[in-house]
Amino acid sequence: MQQSLAGDKNAYNTVLTETATLLRPYLCKRLGDPSAADDVLQEILISIHKARHTYDGTRPFKPWLFAIARFRLQDYLRKYYGDTLRFAGDLDEIDEMSVSHVTESPLSYESIRGEIDQLQGKQPQILGLLHNEGYTAKEVALQLGMQESAVKVAAHRAYKILRKRLGG
Amino acid sequence: MTDIGKLITELSEDAAPVKAMPHPAVLFAILSGVAALYLVGLILYGGLRPDLAAKLMSPLFLFEILLLVAMIASSCLSVAVLSFPDMHQKRLAAFAPLITLALFLIILAVEWMETPISTPHPPHGIQCLLCITAYSLVPACAIFLYLRQTANTHPTLAGGVALLAASGIGCLALRLAEPTDSIQHLLQWHYAPMLVLSALGLWLGTIILKWKTGRP
């Protein structure tokens, strides 16, 4: 990002491409609609371009990036709900517009079971206990004879791998 | 190539070198300096109350003035930090004006309890409100114009803080000029309007500091 601020177009291209790769699954999870996620992603990339003078490279990049991403996402959701309410013909149409409809994730534990089973070590077992059985990290740690922090680290690493495989 | 791919290529082609904004500490120094200069200008225009030196010996008056100054300074700090989408990762600084405002209201409450009911009210009232509003216009416009050049992601808070700073400067200039000791007058015609203007700023921020959509 620092190189791109200096005018390095290739570095900037890399930053934007990796940003798009990082944000797309985040937006898909929150919007549940890939084409809406692409629209919001375009707005975010444009906003990053316009706001890049506010990042100097001396502090972590992700908080800056996600601050812009969350702001544009909120703008989009505000407009979406506003338009839907404004143009709804009757109460039935408003009823159909629920928070869960917009933000429902297309992914559930069962839908990505195959990917989870391909994870290494205790990761599949940990994710199964956490998300399928509904145990807390502490309870999972007790069952598997691990430290709670180790369970959390393993889960975090598993999410990272799954995000990469599924987000593409 | 997808739409996103095309957009990334376009934006990359447009990637001219960009000068990063200064650190919030530098921005705070600049904003405070400009606010101080403006205040000096208002004092030169409106004058100082003849008994100011004696009044500054009174602890309550002194605290009132110091807290007004602190409120303006903390608002400048908040504006500096709110210029960045991530608040330059100094979130607490953005909310500093709330602390100084709370302390200021406590001092006003103490003054209310300590000031005798027999203290004479000045004959004017609405003139003070109009004066503070007029004094606040220039700094308010300047702060909003400045914030539009930045990447603020908290427009409501930024708008409120902008008008708190601007109306605070107006209140301070008038407090140093007007020889009144009536806390009722001050609350009704000075500080209540200041709070109303700040509340108005919360709304104005959502309109004036909205980000445009679409390509640059």
Side-chain angles (χ1 to χ4, degrees), chain B residues 71-122:
Chain B
M71 208 169 62
I72 295 164
S74 60
S75 301
C76 291
L77 177 64
S78 180
V79 166
V81 159
L82 286 170
S83 306
F84 302 86
D86 58 343
M87 301 192 218
H88 213 273
Q89 292 158 42
K90 293 169 179 52
R91 211 174 167 77
L92 280 178
F95 296 96
L98 296 178
I99 299 168
T100 48
L101 178 61
L103 290 171
F104 182 67
L105 293 176
I106 291 170
I107 278 292
L108 291 182
V110 171
E111 279 192 72
W112 172 273
M113 289 185 299
E114 296 291 315
T115 306
I117 296 171
S118 56
T119 308
H121 296 277

Short mmCIF file of all heavy atoms in Angstrom, two decimals, chain B residues 71-122:
data_model
loop_
_atom_site.label_atom_id
_atom_site.label_comp_id
_atom_site.label_asym_id
_atom_site.label_seq_id
_atom_site.Cartn_x
_atom_site.Cartn_y
_atom_site.Cartn_z
N MET B 71 -13.17 22.20 25.95
CA MET B 71 -14.20 21.64 25.09
C MET B 71 -13.88 21.94 23.63
O MET B 71 -14.01 21.07 22.76
CB MET B 71 -15.55 22.25 25.46
CG MET B 71 -16.72 21.34 25.16
SD MET B 71 -18.21 21.96 25.91
CE MET B 71 -18.38 23.52 25.09
N ILE B 72 -13.44 23.17 23.36
CA ILE B 72 -13.09 23.55 21.99
C ILE B 72 -11.87 22.75 21.53
O ILE B 72 -11.84 22.21 20.42
CB ILE B 72 -12.80 25.06 21.91
CG1 ILE B 72 -14.07 25.86 22.21
CG2 ILE B 72 -12.29 25.45 20.52
CD1 ILE B 72 -13.83 27.31 22.53
N ALA B 73 -10.88 22.63 22.42
CA ALA B 73 -9.66 21.89 22.06
C ALA B 73 -9.97 20.41 21.82
O ALA B 73 -9.49 19.82 20.84
CB ALA B 73 -8.62 22.04 23.16
N SER B 74 -10.78 19.83 22.68
CA SER B 74 -11.10 18.40 22.51
C SER B 74 -11.94 18.19 21.25
O SER B 74 -11.83 17.15 20.59
CB SER B 74 -11.80 17.83 23.74
OG SER B 74 -13.00 18.51 23.98
N SER B 75 -12.77 19.17 20.90
CA SER B 75 -13.54 19.07 19.66
C SER B 75 -12.61 19.12 18.45
O SER B 75 -12.80 18.39 17.48
CB SER B 75 -14.58 20.18 19.56
OG SER B 75 -15.47 20.12 20.65
N CYS B 76 -11.58 19.98 18.52
CA CYS B 76 -10.59 20.04 17.42
C CYS B 76 -9.86 18.70 17.31
O CYS B 76 -9.62 18.20 16.21
CB CYS B 76 -9.58 21.16 17.66
SG CYS B 76 -10.28 22.80 17.51
N LEU B 77 -9.53 18.11 18.46
CA LEU B 77 -8.86 16.80 18.45
C LEU B 77 -9.77 15.74 17.82
O LEU B 77 -9.34 14.92 17.01
CB LEU B 77 -8.48 16.40 19.87
CG LEU B 77 -7.83 15.02 20.04
CD1 LEU B 77 -6.49 14.96 19.33
CD2 LEU B 77 -7.67 14.67 21.52
N SER B 78 -11.03 15.78 18.22
CA SER B 78 -12.00 14.82 17.69
C SER B 78 -12.14 14.97 16.18
O SER B 78 -12.17 13.98 15.44
CB SER B 78 -13.35 15.05 18.37
OG SER B 78 -14.30 14.14 17.89
N VAL B 79 -12.22 16.21 15.70
CA VAL B 79 -12.32 16.45 14.25
C VAL B 79 -11.09 15.90 13.54
O VAL B 79 -11.19 15.27 12.48
CB VAL B 79 -12.51 17.96 13.96
CG1 VAL B 79 -12.27 18.28 12.49
CG2 VAL B 79 -13.90 18.41 14.36
N ALA B 80 -9.91 16.10 14.14
CA ALA B 80 -8.67 15.61 13.53
C ALA B 80 -8.70 14.09 13.38
O ALA B 80 -8.36 13.53 12.35
CB ALA B 80 -7.47 16.03 14.38
N VAL B 81 -9.14 13.42 14.44
CA VAL B 81 -9.17 11.96 14.44
C VAL B 81 -10.28 11.42 13.52
O VAL B 81 -10.11 10.43 12.82
CB VAL B 81 -9.33 11.47 15.90
CG1 VAL B 81 -9.85 10.07 15.96
CG2 VAL B 81 -8.01 11.56 16.63
N LEU B 82 -11.41 12.12 13.50
CA LEU B 82 -12.54 11.69 12.67
C LEU B 82 -12.30 11.93 11.18
O LEU B 82 -13.10 11.52 10.35
CB LEU B 82 -13.83 12.42 13.10
CG LEU B 82 -14.45 11.94 14.41
CD1 LEU B 82 -15.55 12.88 14.87
CD2 LEU B 82 -15.01 10.52 14.29
N SER B 83 -11.19 12.59 10.84
CA SER B 83 -10.85 12.78 9.43
C SER B 83 -10.47 11.46 8.76
O SER B 83 -10.44 11.37 7.54
CB SER B 83 -9.66 13.73 9.29
OG SER B 83 -9.90 14.94 9.96
N PHE B 84 -10.14 10.45 9.57
CA PHE B 84 -9.68 9.17 9.04
C PHE B 84 -10.79 8.14 9.18
O PHE B 84 -11.48 8.12 10.20
CB PHE B 84 -8.43 8.70 9.79
CG PHE B 84 -7.29 9.69 9.71
CD1 PHE B 84 -7.19 10.73 10.61
CD2 PHE B 84 -6.33 9.58 8.72
CE1 PHE B 84 -6.16 11.66 10.52
CE2 PHE B 84 -5.29 10.49 8.62
CZ PHE B 84 -5.21 11.53 9.53
N PRO B 85 -10.96 7.23 8.20
CA PRO B 85 -12.07 6.27 8.28
C PRO B 85 -11.97 5.38 9.52
O PRO B 85 -12.98 5.00 10.10
CB PRO B 85 -11.93 5.42 7.01
CG PRO B 85 -10.83 5.98 6.23
CD PRO B 85 -10.18 7.08 6.96
N ASP B 86 -10.73 5.04 9.91
CA ASP B 86 -10.53 4.18 11.09
C ASP B 86 -10.20 5.00 12.34
O ASP B 86 -9.69 4.45 13.31
CB ASP B 86 -9.39 3.19 10.80
CG ASP B 86 -8.07 3.90 10.45
OD1 ASP B 86 -8.12 5.11 10.10
OD2 ASP B 86 -7.02 3.26 10.49
N MET B 87 -10.47 6.33 12.29
CA MET B 87 -10.15 7.25 13.39
C MET B 87 -8.68 7.18 13.77
O MET B 87 -8.32 7.38 14.93
CB MET B 87 -11.02 6.98 14.60
CG MET B 87 -12.50 7.10 14.33
SD MET B 87 -13.42 7.12 15.88
CE MET B 87 -14.84 6.18 15.46
N HIS B 88 -7.84 6.84 12.78
CA HIS B 88 -6.40 6.67 12.99
C HIS B 88 -6.12 5.70 14.14
O HIS B 88 -5.11 5.76 14.82
CB HIS B 88 -5.71 8.02 13.26
CG HIS B 88 -4.30 8.09 12.73
ND1 HIS B 88 -3.22 7.66 13.47
CD2 HIS B 88 -3.81 8.50 11.54
CE1 HIS B 88 -2.13 7.81 12.75
NE2 HIS B 88 -2.46 8.32 11.58
N GLN B 89 -7.10 4.80 14.36
CA GLN B 89 -7.02 3.80 15.43
C GLN B 89 -6.80 4.44 16.80
O GLN B 89 -6.08 3.93 17.65
CB GLN B 89 -5.97 2.73 15.08
CG GLN B 89 -6.49 1.91 13.89
CD GLN B 89 -5.44 1.20 13.09
OE1 GLN B 89 -4.50 0.62 13.63
NE2 GLN B 89 -5.58 1.23 11.77
N LYS B 90 -7.46 5.60 16.99
CA LYS B 90 -7.42 6.32 18.28
C LYS B 90 -8.86 6.70 18.62
O LYS B 90 -9.22 7.87 18.71
CB LYS B 90 -6.56 7.58 18.17
CG LYS B 90 -5.10 7.31 17.96
CD LYS B 90 -4.36 8.58 17.59
CE LYS B 90 -2.87 8.35 17.39
NZ LYS B 90 -2.49 7.29 16.48
N ARG B 91 -9.66 5.65 18.84
CA ARG B 91 -11.10 5.82 18.99
C ARG B 91 -11.49 6.74 20.13
O ARG B 91 -12.41 7.54 20.02
CB ARG B 91 -11.70 4.44 19.21
CG ARG B 91 -13.04 4.27 18.70
CD ARG B 91 -13.51 2.84 18.85
NE ARG B 91 -14.92 2.82 18.61
CZ ARG B 91 -15.50 2.89 17.41
NH1 ARG B 91 -14.77 2.91 16.33
NH2 ARG B 91 -16.80 2.91 17.28
N LEU B 92 -10.77 6.62 21.26
CA LEU B 92 -11.14 7.40 22.46
C LEU B 92 -11.06 8.90 22.21
O LEU B 92 -11.87 9.66 22.72
CB LEU B 92 -10.22 7.04 23.63
CG LEU B 92 -10.56 5.75 24.37
CD1 LEU B 92 -9.54 5.49 25.47
CD2 LEU B 92 -11.97 5.82 24.98
N ALA B 93 -10.09 9.29 21.40
CA ALA B 93 -9.90 10.72 21.13
C ALA B 93 -11.12 11.32 20.44
O ALA B 93 -11.45 12.49 20.63
CB ALA B 93 -8.66 10.95 20.27
N ALA B 94 -11.80 10.49 19.63
CA ALA B 94 -12.98 11.00 18.91
C ALA B 94 -14.10 11.36 19.89
O ALA B 94 -14.94 12.21 19.58
CB ALA B 94 -13.47 9.95 17.93
N PHE B 95 -14.13 10.71 21.04
CA PHE B 95 -15.21 10.95 22.00
C PHE B 95 -14.79 11.86 23.16
O PHE B 95 -15.56 12.06 24.09
CB PHE B 95 -15.72 9.60 22.53
CG PHE B 95 -16.34 8.75 21.47
CD1 PHE B 95 -15.59 7.78 20.82
CD2 PHE B 95 -17.66 8.95 21.07
CE1 PHE B 95 -16.15 7.01 19.79
CE2 PHE B 95 -18.23 8.19 20.06
CZ PHE B 95 -17.47 7.22 19.42
N ALA B 96 -13.58 12.42 23.07
CA ALA B 96 -13.09 13.32 24.13
C ALA B 96 -14.02 14.50 24.41
O ALA B 96 -14.19 14.89 25.57
CB ALA B 96 -11.69 13.81 23.79
N PRO B 97 -14.65 15.11 23.38
CA PRO B 97 -15.52 16.25 23.66
C PRO B 97 -16.67 15.90 24.61
O PRO B 97 -17.16 16.77 25.33
CB PRO B 97 -16.08 16.66 22.30
CG PRO B 97 -15.14 16.09 21.31
CD PRO B 97 -14.56 14.88 21.91
N LEU B 98 -17.11 14.64 24.60
CA LEU B 98 -18.21 14.27 25.49
C LEU B 98 -17.79 14.40 26.95
O LEU B 98 -18.58 14.79 27.81
CB LEU B 98 -18.66 12.83 25.19
CG LEU B 98 -19.24 12.59 23.80
CD1 LEU B 98 -19.60 11.14 23.59
CD2 LEU B 98 -20.48 13.46 23.57
N ILE B 99 -16.52 14.09 27.21
CA ILE B 99 -16.01 14.16 28.59
C ILE B 99 -15.94 15.62 29.03
O ILE B 99 -16.39 15.99 30.12
CB ILE B 99 -14.63 13.49 28.70
CG1 ILE B 99 -14.74 12.00 28.31
CG2 ILE B 99 -14.05 13.63 30.11
CD1 ILE B 99 -13.43 11.31 28.11
N THR B 100 -15.35 16.46 28.17
CA THR B 100 -15.22 17.88 28.54
C THR B 100 -16.59 18.54 28.62
O THR B 100 -16.82 19.38 29.50
CB THR B 100 -14.33 18.64 27.54
OG1 THR B 100 -14.73 18.33 26.21
CG2 THR B 100 -12.87 18.26 27.71
N LEU B 101 -17.51 18.13 27.76
CA LEU B 101 -18.87 18.69 27.82
C LEU B 101 -19.54 18.31 29.14
O LEU B 101 -20.18 19.13 29.78
CB LEU B 101 -19.70 18.20 26.63
CG LEU B 101 -21.15 18.67 26.56
CD1 LEU B 101 -21.25 20.19 26.46
CD2 LEU B 101 -21.87 18.02 25.38
N ALA B 102 -19.37 17.06 29.56
CA ALA B 102 -19.96 16.61 30.82
C ALA B 102 -19.39 17.41 32.00
O ALA B 102 -20.14 17.85 32.88
CB ALA B 102 -19.69 15.12 31.03
N LEU B 103 -18.08 17.62 31.99
CA LEU B 103 -17.45 18.41 33.07
C LEU B 103 -17.96 19.84 33.05
O LEU B 103 -18.20 20.45 34.10
CB LEU B 103 -15.92 18.40 32.91
CG LEU B 103 -15.24 17.05 33.18
CD1 LEU B 103 -13.77 17.10 32.78
CD2 LEU B 103 -15.37 16.66 34.65
N PHE B 104 -18.13 20.38 31.85
CA PHE B 104 -18.62 21.74 31.70
C PHE B 104 -20.03 21.87 32.27
O PHE B 104 -20.35 22.83 32.98
CB PHE B 104 -18.60 22.13 30.22
CG PHE B 104 -19.03 23.54 29.95
CD1 PHE B 104 -18.27 24.61 30.37
CD2 PHE B 104 -20.22 23.80 29.28
CE1 PHE B 104 -18.67 25.92 30.14
CE2 PHE B 104 -20.63 25.10 29.04
CZ PHE B 104 -19.86 26.17 29.47
N LEU B 105 -20.88 20.89 31.99
CA LEU B 105 -22.25 20.93 32.52
C LEU B 105 -22.25 20.84 34.04
O LEU B 105 -23.09 21.46 34.71
CB LEU B 105 -23.08 19.79 31.90
CG LEU B 105 -23.35 19.92 30.39
CD1 LEU B 105 -24.08 18.70 29.86
CD2 LEU B 105 -24.13 21.18 30.05
N ILE B 106 -21.30 20.09 34.59
CA ILE B 106 -21.19 20.00 36.06
C ILE B 106 -20.85 21.36 36.65
O ILE B 106 -21.44 21.79 37.64
CB ILE B 106 -20.14 18.93 36.48
CG1 ILE B 106 -20.66 17.52 36.13
CG2 ILE B 106 -19.81 19.01 37.97
CD1 ILE B 106 -19.63 16.43 36.26
N ILE B 107 -19.90 22.04 36.01
CA ILE B 107 -19.51 23.38 36.49
C ILE B 107 -20.70 24.33 36.42
O ILE B 107 -20.93 25.14 37.32
CB ILE B 107 -18.33 23.93 35.66
CG1 ILE B 107 -17.03 23.35 36.18
CG2 ILE B 107 -18.26 25.44 35.68
CD1 ILE B 107 -16.66 23.84 37.59
N LEU B 108 -21.49 24.23 35.34
CA LEU B 108 -22.67 25.10 35.22
C LEU B 108 -23.67 24.80 36.34
O LEU B 108 -24.28 25.71 36.90
CB LEU B 108 -23.34 24.90 33.85
CG LEU B 108 -22.58 25.40 32.64
CD1 LEU B 108 -23.39 25.17 31.36
CD2 LEU B 108 -22.24 26.89 32.76
N ALA B 109 -23.81 23.51 36.67
CA ALA B 109 -24.74 23.13 37.75
C ALA B 109 -24.26 23.72 39.08
O ALA B 109 -25.06 24.22 39.88
CB ALA B 109 -24.83 21.61 37.84
N VAL B 110 -22.95 23.68 39.30
CA VAL B 110 -22.39 24.23 40.55
C VAL B 110 -22.62 25.75 40.58
O VAL B 110 -23.01 26.31 41.60
CB VAL B 110 -20.88 23.90 40.67
CG1 VAL B 110 -20.26 24.65 41.83
CG2 VAL B 110 -20.67 22.40 40.81
N GLU B 111 -22.41 26.40 39.44
CA GLU B 111 -22.63 27.86 39.37
C GLU B 111 -24.10 28.20 39.63
O GLU B 111 -24.41 29.20 40.28
CB GLU B 111 -22.23 28.40 37.98
CG GLU B 111 -20.75 28.62 37.83
CD GLU B 111 -20.40 29.42 36.58
OE1 GLU B 111 -20.66 30.63 36.53
OE2 GLU B 111 -19.87 28.79 35.65
N TRP B 112 -24.97 27.37 39.11
CA TRP B 112 -26.42 27.57 39.32
C TRP B 112 -26.73 27.55 40.82
O TRP B 112 -27.48 28.36 41.34
CB TRP B 112 -27.19 26.48 38.58
CG TRP B 112 -28.66 26.45 38.87
CD1 TRP B 112 -29.30 25.80 39.88
CD2 TRP B 112 -29.67 27.16 38.14
NE1 TRP B 112 -30.65 26.04 39.83
CE2 TRP B 112 -30.91 26.85 38.77
CE3 TRP B 112 -29.66 27.99 37.03
CZ2 TRP B 112 -32.11 27.38 38.31
CZ3 TRP B 112 -30.88 28.51 36.58
CH2 TRP B 112 -32.09 28.20 37.21
N MET B 113 -26.11 26.59 41.52
CA MET B 113 -26.38 26.45 42.96
C MET B 113 -25.74 27.59 43.75
O MET B 113 -26.26 28.01 44.78
CB MET B 113 -25.86 25.09 43.46
CG MET B 113 -26.73 23.95 42.95
SD MET B 113 -26.30 22.32 43.58
CE MET B 113 -24.66 22.08 43.03
N GLU B 114 -24.59 28.08 43.29
CA GLU B 114 -23.84 29.08 44.05
C GLU B 114 -24.30 30.51 43.78
O GLU B 114 -24.10 31.40 44.61
CB GLU B 114 -22.34 28.99 43.70
CG GLU B 114 -21.68 27.67 44.10
CD GLU B 114 -21.57 27.51 45.60
OE1 GLU B 114 -21.16 28.48 46.27
OE2 GLU B 114 -21.91 26.44 46.10
N THR B 115 -24.91 30.75 42.60
CA THR B 115 -25.26 32.13 42.25
C THR B 115 -26.55 32.54 42.94
O THR B 115 -27.55 31.82 42.86
CB THR B 115 -25.44 32.27 40.73
OG1 THR B 115 -24.28 31.78 40.08
CG2 THR B 115 -25.68 33.71 40.31
N PRO B 116 -26.56 33.71 43.64
CA PRO B 116 -27.79 34.14 44.32
C PRO B 116 -28.89 34.45 43.30
O PRO B 116 -28.61 34.91 42.19
CB PRO B 116 -27.37 35.43 45.04
CG PRO B 116 -25.90 35.50 44.95
CD PRO B 116 -25.45 34.62 43.85
N ILE B 117 -30.14 34.20 43.71
CA ILE B 117 -31.28 34.45 42.83
C ILE B 117 -31.41 35.93 42.51
O ILE B 117 -31.91 36.32 41.45
CB ILE B 117 -32.58 33.91 43.47
CG1 ILE B 117 -32.48 32.39 43.59
CG2 ILE B 117 -33.81 34.29 42.65
CD1 ILE B 117 -33.60 31.76 44.40
N SER B 118 -30.91 36.77 43.42
CA SER B 118 -31.05 38.22 43.25
C SER B 118 -30.10 38.80 42.21
O SER B 118 -30.16 39.97 41.89
CB SER B 118 -30.81 38.93 44.59
OG SER B 118 -29.52 38.55 45.08
N THR B 119 -29.22 38.00 41.65
CA THR B 119 -28.27 38.50 40.62
C THR B 119 -29.06 39.09 39.46
O THR B 119 -29.94 38.42 38.91
CB THR B 119 -27.38 37.36 40.10
OG1 THR B 119 -26.78 36.69 41.20
CG2 THR B 119 -26.31 37.89 39.17
N PRO B 120 -28.77 40.34 39.08
CA PRO B 120 -29.58 40.98 38.03
C PRO B 120 -29.37 40.33 36.66
O PRO B 120 -28.27 39.93 36.31
CB PRO B 120 -29.07 42.42 38.03
CG PRO B 120 -27.72 42.38 38.66
CD PRO B 120 -27.69 41.21 39.58
N HIS B 121 -30.51 40.24 35.91
CA HIS B 121 -30.44 39.76 34.54
C HIS B 121 -30.14 40.92 33.62
O HIS B 121 -30.66 42.02 33.82
CB HIS B 121 -31.80 39.18 34.11
CG HIS B 121 -32.22 37.98 34.88
ND1 HIS B 121 -31.79 36.71 34.58
CD2 HIS B 121 -33.03 37.88 35.95
CE1 HIS B 121 -32.33 35.86 35.44
NE2 HIS B 121 -33.10 36.54 36.27
N PRO B 122 -29.34 40.71 32.59
CA PRO B 122 -29.14 41.79 31.61
C PRO B 122 -30.45 42.01 30.84
O PRO B 122 -31.26 41.08 30.73
CB PRO B 122 -28.04 41.26 30.70
CG PRO B 122 -28.00 39.80 30.92
CD PRO B 122 -28.56 39.51 32.26
#
